[in-house]
Amino acid sequence: MAERIEDIAVAMVAPGKGLLAADESTSTIKKRFDSINLTSTEDSRRDYREMLFRADDAMKNYISGVILYEETLYQKAKDGTPLADLIKAAGSIPGIKVDTGAKPMVNFPGETITEGLDGLGERLARYYEAGARFAKWRGVIAVSDALPTRGSLRANAQALARYAALCQAAGIVPIVEPEVLMDGAPGTHSIDRSEEVTEWTLRTTFEELAEARVSLEGMILKPSMVIDGKNARKASVAEVAERTVRVLKRTVPSAVPGIAFLSGGQSSEEATAHLSAMNTFELPWKLTFSYGRALQETALKAWGGKAENVAAGQRAFSHRARMNGLAALGNWKADLEKAA
């Protein structure tokens, strides 16, 4: 029986579960490994991700899907099991990052355009064959008093829409990720400016998705939260939650089954607290997490690249996964962190 993208999308935002973003590029994971004095090699990257994917408590109870880098989709665990099969065995869904990165946009100083559409249809067919059932594409929206420009915003939204249409044609659920940066230069914008730009970005993105005839029921939105710039942080958890929900209600059609937030420069606990606060509102869609660093940071430090620390790394990962699973239900409380 054929898998319906609508059913896959619903499974990705199952109650109390969310997505693990383990799709760091080779250069990004090198920076993460540098922080624990570990050399990034094909084997060390495999060992790290295998440690996460074999954390049974996290993977079976709180992780609905894992976004993979292309290398990882085709890698095998030390015992020869494909890493994608480890994910499936835990009842989770393998996914794949398909963009090739944000590059400077010609004639638009300080702005980028995400590349990777050339040959994407053929790549998606291969990824489907390898077990991927959803994909991710990130558009990057810079914020300042003058940015973004209309041209850059529209170009990134069009690329997201073309990518989403190609995914759905291949039987793959697209995660549509228009990230309004909180930590880009200079990162001093107010939460008012963040709300204004986020609303404009989401409105433009859904206009382009409609133009491309993308099925809303067969996609997941991965937005940033409405939050003040990294160098201007003042807003409370309650204010971030209230403003983010307000923007979503103004711009995101209720046909979209779920919204999985990126953490975007927030601390692990901040990202959890904001998600939980949002889930106390009456909402037409599931709100959950699609976190990378905010799920992995404590696990990476606990593991430290040492085989004898695998269990400690898995415990740290499972704790953060559980905290975010509770947040996806609106049930997280700060004292649960202290009890860990």
Side-chain angles (χ1 to χ4, degrees), residues 179-183 224 227 230 262-266 271 291 293-294:
E179 179 178 3
V180 175
L181 292 175
M182 74 170 278
D183 54 357
S224 39
I227 197 166
K230 193 165 189 176
L262 57 93
S263 52
Q266 301 175 57
Y291 294 165
R293 190 185 44 74

Side-chain angles (χ1 to χ4, degrees), residues 114-146:
T114 301
E115 297 181 347
L117 286 172
D118 287 352
L120 180 57
E122 292 80 6
R123 284 196 288 134
L124 287 167
R126 294 199 301 272
Y127 298 150
Y128 186 95
E129 189 69 28
R133 291 298 178 268
F134 68 90
K136 191 201 84 166
W137 178 290
R138 175 176 175 250
V140 181
I141 311 301
V143 187
S144 69
D145 291 343

